[in-house]
Amino acid sequence: MNTRKKEQMNHHLIDNSNREMTTNDGVPIHDNNNTLKAGVRGPSLLEDFIYQDKMAHFDRERIPERVVHARGSGAHGIFESTADISAYTKAAFLKKGTITPLFARFSTVAGFKGSTDLARDVRGFSIKFYTEEGNYDFVGNNIPVFFIQDAMQFPDVIHSVKPEPDKEMPQAASAHDTFWDFISLMPEAAHMSMWVMSDRAIPRSLRMMQGFSVHTFKFINDKGKATFVKFHWKPRLGVHQVAWQEAQKISGYDADFHRRDLWEAIDAGDFPQWDLGVQLIPEEDELKYSFDILDPTKIIPEELVPLKIIGTMTLNRNPDNFFAETEQVAFDPGRLVPGIDFSNDPLLQGRVFSYADTQHYRLGGPNFHEIPINRPINGKYNNQKDGFARQDILKGNVSYFPNSLGGGCPYHAMLKGEKGFESHAEKVDAKKIRGRSASFADHFTQARLFYNSQSAAEKEHIISAFSFELSKVNSEAVRKRELAILNQVDKTLAKRVGDNLGLVPAKELDKLTIQFAKQNHPEYPIKPPKPEVEYSPALSMETKAGEGSIATRKVGFLVADGVSKVSIDKMKKALVREGAKVVLISTRVGKVKFKEGGEETVQHSYLTDASVCYDALYTPDGDSVKILSDEPDYYQFVNEAYRHCKAISFAKGAESLLEYTYVNKNELGKGVILESKHKLVQDFIHIMKAHRIWERETNRKIPV
Ligand code: HDE
């Protein structure tokens, strides 16, 4: 980012160092600890304006949390355009070689602001680009489709997933009656439900998730020609998840797990990066596919329209102040720049109203774009003034247009050769109607495509997730109705979930499905056109051994006094070379003593940490092994990591510890690496690159 931009963006930064303390009016304060009283044991005085100044501010320090996506974490960064796509769009920030500053915010949807990061949920993926032609907001999710097709039903889906209104429970969870009541009545939610019940909804890190525009937008080139476009963000670190049981435990050990992970990575200079890909569809091809590209419950398979990579986002700076930046940033998919336009997706059209409306309420009026994090870097020039919390001062007596007294300024962005925002001149010739296009009616083909494209382990996770969620639903009628939905996606899926719920024998399921479908889906049965793609490898997250990267992964070294430094260093060097992070965990924080002499400070102990916060474990040898053999929490670490299918390794002298764990001895090599049997360091790293050894789940011989 150039210096000018930096200065513009930071000009509201306050530095308190070497300053005397003042009230908000700049009056110096000589005592900030005591209220003004009539005698030290007497009543407080109303005239204490210094106390009032401080307390009145405090009393107003919360603004309404976002009604959805309340829990979020943000970071500053840049976007660099790397491809010439001027044939499709005139957007200045997408011109090859342009670098644009940005602020990104990732979020969960359902939970309140203070809820856990590891809820099973969709993640918001928002980016404010401070372009030379004004702010462009990308407001997407980590899942490429949505629950509903029309904006009118958004309050309903959100009300259903939020804590139930009588008891305000459960927090940040979809596993309850009202959510599944709604979803099971909405066949259009079938596709999205598959994604939300998949591991996409429990990311390992915000740095390891994809971002999607969900809607189709339009690129507009300098001749006014439109091309439909879908946006995808691909994380350079790969797309990874945690196990569901692990997610629940992380919520207890570290509810800020994702926020901390993002903060620490940026703080350490491990700047997360995403490549931006676009799927381009010529305007003439709008109606070419078996699905409607305006339907937000549909993807365009990458195998059908491949991604073209056009740039890279790098997050390189943590916010200076959470409230001022992450809390006050105001995203709005209706903030477009010349070269990008809306499509007629009915969900997108509805969003265009909701976001600005919500910002007016949350941020207290029409001047929220003057808050530093929301200010465009190219300045704003118009005839507006007044309103709550106005900061800019517009000089002179002219606040209208057209004017002659102000020299006709500010003038239309065209007079001097500029190009202002012009909407795509799409021809619209139709009757007003409240309704839905018949081309939106097929709700199951892509849900099936998603399910069929998952690996065996991913399918098992989906079955478990539906079983978990529906087990928490009290209403048997709702459970059955959702089974009927699943039965239209995949019969085995429905049967397996039904078995887990102890509900509906398979032979009755088909009858039930027809009965529910007729009730809730008037078009039933529909005959959708044959899909172009029936299997899409791009939809699976699974990586194979040796394929991925272990950069920034956290490896726990399980140590105690007397641990061998040689044994630590051998593994540590190789891991650090691959970009991984090594954390020593000992019986207490403070110093750990080495067998060879010397000591090192440790900040993590078996008391404070759990294996769910690590990607892989290593037990070095040394005299520490004796201490660990009597340490129940050590075994807990290993057993849990094993259960969550992580790579675990043991130096030769530590292998005896394995005896008392639940590790299935037939699993050695499959993610359980012993120095006496394997190439300790290389094999450990090779396996870690697979992220997890999911096949272990089916062979597991340990109590569940
Ligand atoms: Fe949002 N959404 N949404 N949404 N949404 C909000 O705006 C809304 C939808 C998304 O980090 C709210 O500032 C409607 C789809 C993100 O600050 C609100 C509809 C997608 C964020 C709102 C949708 C999203 C929001 C709440 C259906 C993915 C967080 C507070 C018509 C493409 C932005 C706020 C941030 C936030 C409305 C559906 C993504 C109420 C009406 C689809 C990432 O305005």
Side-chain angles (χ1 to χ4, degrees), residues 7 10 48 58 127 154 228 257 264 273 294 352 361 408 492 517 584 596 600 630 640 663 690:
E7 276 167 12
N10 289 341
D48 189 354
F58 175 77
I127 304 162
F154 187 67
F228 288 107
F257 186 76
E264 287 180 351
Q273 291 190 303
L294 300 185
V352 175
Y361 166 64
T492 315
L584 298 192
E596 298 87 348
E600 188 172 324
D630 293 331
E640 274 192 356
V663 172

Side-chain angles (χ1 to χ4, degrees), residues 114-126:
S115 56
T116 176
D117 282 346
L118 258 292
R120 174 176 291 285
D121 201 351
V122 190
R123 299 299 185 287
F125 197 110
S126 310

Side-chain angles (χ1 to χ4, degrees), residues 66-69 105 107 124-126 139-141 146 151 154 213-215 329 331 347 350-351 354-355 358-359 362:
R66 290 164 174 83
V67 59
V68 281
H69 297 265
R105 182 175 180 273
S107 46
F125 197 110
S126 310
V139 198
N141 279 345
F146 203 62
F154 187 67
S213 60
V214 177
H215 315 283
V329 65
F331 290 102
L347 197 69
R351 291 178 74 201
S354 175
Y355 288 70
T358 225
Q359 308 310 350
R362 282 191 71 233

Side-chain angles (χ1 to χ4, degrees), residues 385 393-400 405-406:
K385 46 189 190 72
I393 297 168
L394 185 56
K395 288 203 287 189
N397 61 349
V398 173
S399 54
Y400 51 88
L405 298 181

Side-chain angles (χ1 to χ4, degrees), residues 140-315:
N141 279 345
N142 76 328
I143 287 179
V145 287
F146 203 62
F147 290 110
I148 50 167
Q149 296 174 322
D150 192 295
M152 194 69 143
Q153 286 177 301
F154 187 67
D156 301 297
V157 63
I158 296 306
H159 288 166
S160 81
V161 73
K162 284 275 180 183
E164 297 187 7
D166 48 354
K167 39 186 132 34
E168 202 167 82
M169 289 193 282
Q171 181 55 245
S174 51
H176 59 115
D177 283 58
T178 55
F179 179 68
W180 289 104
D181 184 25
F182 179 80
I183 293 299
S184 61
L185 288 167
M186 297 284 292
E188 71 199 60
H191 187 193
M192 174 73 162
S193 322
M194 300 302 297
W195 284 81
V196 177
M197 292 302 116
S198 81
D199 293 343
R200 300 270 177 167
I202 38 174
R204 157 65 181 85
S205 161
L206 301 171
R207 303 175 292 128
M208 297 172 198
M209 54 184 207
Q210 272 172 282
F212 301 95
S213 60
V214 177
H215 315 283
T216 302
F217 283 81
K218 281 178 186 170
F219 269 161
I220 311 294
N221 71 11
D222 55 4
K223 300 193 176 59
K225 182 172 165 42
T227 306
F228 288 107
V229 58
K230 280 221 185 205
F231 298 95
H232 297 234
W233 293 94
K234 295 254 183 203
R236 291 252 175 113
L237 292 170
V239 190
H240 301 294
Q241 73 276 58
V242 296
W244 173 232
Q245 198 220 25
E246 191 186 355
Q248 294 170 81
K249 293 191 169 181
I250 293 174
S251 292
Y253 277 104
D254 186 3
D256 305 308
F257 186 76
H258 282 154
R259 177 175 290 181
R260 192 183 313 283
D261 166 273
L262 180 67
W263 183 279
E264 287 180 351
I266 294 175
D267 214 34
D270 293 322
F271 300 145
Q273 291 190 303
W274 286 259
D275 292 317
L276 175 60
V278 287
Q279 289 179 296
L280 299 167
I281 303 105
E283 216 185 355
E284 324 55 280
D285 288 353
E286 179 173 359
L287 304 174
K288 176 175 156 184
Y289 299 112
S290 63
F291 50 89
D292 195 326
I293 63 168
L294 300 185
D295 175 354
T297 66
K298 304 294 183 297
I299 58 162
I300 305 178
E302 284 180 44
E303 292 74 11
L304 187 60
V305 181
L307 283 189
K308 180 178 171 52
I309 300 296
I310 62 166
T312 303
M313 167 168 78
T314 307
L315 298 183

